[in-house]
Amino acid sequence: MKVAIVGSGYVGLVTGACFSEVGIDVVCVDVDKEKIQNLNNGIIPIYEPGLEEMITRNMAKKRLSFSTSLADAIVDSEVVFISVGTPPDEDGSADLKHVIAVARECGKHMDDYKLIVTKSTVPVGTSLKVKNAIKEELSKRKAAVEFDVASNPEFLKEGAAIEDFLKPDRIVIGTESSRSEKLLNKLYKPFTLNGHPIIFMDIVSAEMTKYAANSMLATKISFINDIANLCEIVGADINNVRRGIGSDTRIGKKFIYPGIGYGGSCFPKDVKALIKTASENQYELKVLKAVEAVNNAQKSKLFEKIFAHFDGDLKDKTVAVWGLSFKPQTDDMREAPSLEIVKRLLDAGANVKAYDPVALEEAKCHFGDTIGYCTDQYESLIDADCLAVLTEWSEFRVPNFKIMKRLMNASVVFDGRNIYDKEEMEAADYTYYCIGVRTEKRHRSNELQLVV
């Protein structure tokens, strides 16, 4: 079986590499000539643990190739996955122009049966638009070529995408014919040998499942952040509260860690798109609107703590920043809280020196020369008036606090991911701020004032 993956971004590359890993012949297609040339030279455009090695291995075995010729890929492949980008429009709806463009190319070039699968995150009803676009092109050619469309949403976590694809919790597939179901069942069989289920359903339900899943996870994050903010006001400790509710099996421990909000390519975009879909169908998703509002506000919480600590005067203060990507194990900064926090620090007159294990080059695209970039986490602390932890990279979890104290002008840490223990930090004579726990602010006069 030969498979074409159209779109060589995050989803397309992971999908193509993992299919080739189990012996399937895969061609990844993209209109970006430079990207394809780089891929053929072994240069991977994204950071994802294990991906570069997998691509190199399968290219060497001639199971994985890269091309700019969509027409050839369509003709040569039995299954075509559409994995192009669907960026949000200004109104929050997903931009489907690239998806429909690929569908039209399929209609122009297919000469025998094809199964066209939407892998991109697309709103409900997209597969019907894909089918209609293909039909229109076939009609123009007066070609009677059989085809099916299907929906196969991805549930990949950035930083763990290879593991997620090879050992999925579930594989969701929306089909409308037994032929397409059998074909996709055969394609995914290598990934189900250990009992991982394929859940077949209608196409509309598959499209909705993707948005519903991400929106549910986003809801848990905004809920715990809302509770964390209330904990600070009433004097509760969100870390205790989280352990208490996470032990309830109906709730679970995942996605209830307080912080500075969610980001990335999925949650913000998918929440917006689902709200927009509801609006287009004369329905208001009030809970999701609140989820989005809480998350947008949460991205400012850490800046507000920094601003309050320095009594509203950040001019010429130096803030060390650890972590710029929206989560660990990725260089993705789309909708990252760091974008909002660093901007507000700069607007307030602060100097920012930042370190991230893999996202520095990406950060330069956002901040240019407005901040300092450090190649080591301790370098960023030299003469810093405080440290702000924005991403919970593992190398930040157990730093040398004695060295930190020697490097910094003041022992003040703003922990946006709650990775340190408050009592240990205070015992080490640090002024420590986190999310969801009250902090005693230390004034120069040594008087104590309760702040949140």
Side-chain angles (χ1 to χ4, degrees):
M1 183 187 302
K2 187 162 185 176
V3 171
I5 311 290
V6 186
S8 295
Y10 182 83
V11 173
L13 284 178
V14 172
T15 301
C18 289
F19 275 145
S20 67
E21 183 75 1
V22 298
I24 296 168
D25 191 0
V26 178
V27 56
C28 290
V29 185
D30 203 285
V31 296
D32 188 332
K33 294 180 180 179
E34 183 179 358
K35 179 188 289 186
I36 293 299
Q37 183 178 356
N38 285 338
L39 284 165
N40 281 321
N41 290 328
I43 302 172
I44 313 303
I46 61 172
Y47 176 80
E48 178 64 34
L51 182 60
E52 183 175 352
E53 296 83 356
M54 184 177 285
I55 288 176
T56 301
R57 180 168 61 249
N58 285 286
M59 286 179 67
K61 293 182 178 295
K62 309 297 184 184
R63 293 194 297 247
L64 178 63
S65 61
F66 299 95
S67 173
T68 57
S69 178
L70 178 54
D72 290 344
I74 291 169
V75 171
D76 294 341
S77 302
E78 188 174 3
V79 183
V80 178
F81 283 87
I82 301 177
S83 300
V84 295
T86 55
D89 279 336
E90 291 183 3
D91 62 359
S93 62
D95 185 349
L96 299 177
K97 65 185 177 195
H98 301 301
V99 172
I100 301 304
V102 174
R104 292 197 177 281
E105 289 299 308
C106 290
K108 290 177 183 178
H109 299 290
M110 64 171 62
D111 54 9
D112 57 6
Y113 174 82
K114 305 293 177 188
L115 172 56
I116 314 300
V117 186
T118 54
K119 192 74 173 172
S120 304
T121 299
V122 294
V124 173
T126 299
S127 290
L128 180 59
K129 294 178 181 179
V130 167
K131 178 190 284 189
N132 289 337
I134 295 172
K135 284 182 175 179
E136 287 176 10
E137 295 303 323
L138 289 174
S139 178
K140 291 177 184 178
R141 294 167 50 199
K142 295 182 171 54
V145 180
E146 291 187 17
F147 72 95
D148 279 311
V149 297
S151 174
N152 176 213
E154 54 85 15
F155 299 97
L156 305 176
K157 298 187 295 293
E158 293 189 49
I162 300 295
E163 184 77 3
D164 286 345
F165 201 104
L166 298 178
K167 299 177 182 179
D169 292 330
R170 77 293 198 201
I171 299 166
V172 172
I173 299 176
T175 61
E176 57 182 8
S177 74
S178 59
R179 184 175 185 178
S180 60
E181 183 172 326
K182 289 178 181 177
L183 192 55
L184 285 167
N185 195 54
K186 177 183 178 182
L187 184 64
Y188 274 107
K189 185 177 180 180
F191 307 100
T192 63
L193 296 178
N194 291 327
H196 308 297
I198 298 181
I199 304 173
F200 284 102
M201 59 185 70
D202 61 276
I203 291 177
V204 173
S205 295
E207 292 173 335
M208 179 61 80
T209 297
K210 167 66 175 181
Y211 281 102
N214 280 351
S215 294
M216 181 70 248
L217 298 176
T219 299
K220 292 185 74 174
I221 294 172
S222 280
F223 172 80
I224 202 66
N225 281 332
D226 226 9
I227 296 298
N229 296 335
L230 181 59
C231 283
E232 292 190 21
I233 295 171
V234 302
D237 186 325
I238 188 59
N239 297 305
N240 292 330
V241 174
R242 176 182 56 78
R243 287 194 292 269
I245 67 173
S247 299
D248 187 328
T249 56
R250 297 169 301 174
I251 297 172
K253 299 178 180 178
K254 295 182 178 180
F255 287 87
I256 57 168
Y257 286 83
I260 48 179
Y262 58 76
S265 63
C266 293
F267 288 4
K269 177 169 70 74
D270 292 356
V271 168
K272 283 182 172 64
L274 194 52
I275 290 171
K276 180 63 177 177
T277 296
S279 176
E280 290 172 345
N281 287 274
Q282 292 75 53
Y283 187 77
E284 183 182 12
L285 288 172
K286 296 178 181 178
V287 171
L288 275 193
K289 283 188 173 182
V291 166
E292 186 177 45
V294 168
N295 192 63
N296 290 337
Q298 197 69 19
K299 291 181 178 182
S300 296
K301 288 295 178 182
L302 204 67
F303 169 79
E304 292 167 3
K305 291 175 183 289
I306 298 171
F307 192 74
H309 174 84
F310 289 103
D311 298 321
D313 183 11
L314 283 171
K315 185 173 175 55
D316 296 328
K317 295 291 190 297
T318 297
V319 180
V321 168
W322 283 3
L324 294 167
S325 57
F326 86 94
K327 62 178 286 189
Q329 301 301 320
T330 181
D331 60 352
D332 195 344
M333 287 183 61
R334 285 173 287 185
E335 302 282 348
S338 64
L339 296 175
E340 172 72 13
I341 295 169
V342 170
K343 180 181 181 301
R344 295 196 65 180
L345 287 170
L346 294 174
D347 289 345
N351 301 311
V352 175
K353 297 196 300 180
Y355 168 74
D356 188 285
V358 302
L360 289 183
E361 289 304 314
E362 179 65 23
K364 291 175 184 177
C365 298
H366 296 276
F367 302 125
D369 59 1
T370 61
I371 69 173
Y373 302 95
C374 301
T375 57
D376 177 85
Q377 67 193 82
Y378 295 106
E379 178 190 350
S380 68
L381 299 178
I382 298 173
D383 294 328
D385 296 294
C386 67
L387 165 66
V389 181
L390 307 187
T391 313
E392 64 276 29
W393 285 93
S394 57
E395 64 188 81
F396 300 156
R397 292 183 180 274
V398 190
N400 189 317
F401 290 110
K402 291 183 179 179
I403 291 178
M404 290 171 60
K405 188 171 291 188
R406 290 201 299 266
L407 294 174
M408 299 173 68
N409 291 335
S411 303
V412 183
V413 173
F414 296 87
D415 183 358
R417 299 299 182 180
N418 286 20
I419 61 176
Y420 304 128
D421 182 89
K422 181 176 183 288
E423 292 183 0
E424 290 180 3
M425 294 295 288
E426 291 178 346
D429 200 29
Y430 276 84
T431 300
Y432 176 69
Y433 298 83
C434 60
I435 304 297
V437 183
R438 278 183 178 177
T439 297
E440 299 289 347
K441 176 180 173 182
R442 302 183 182 190
H443 283 282
R444 297 180 184 85
S445 63
N446 292 325
E447 296 178 355
L448 297 181
Q449 176 184 346
L450 194 63
V451 298
V452 295

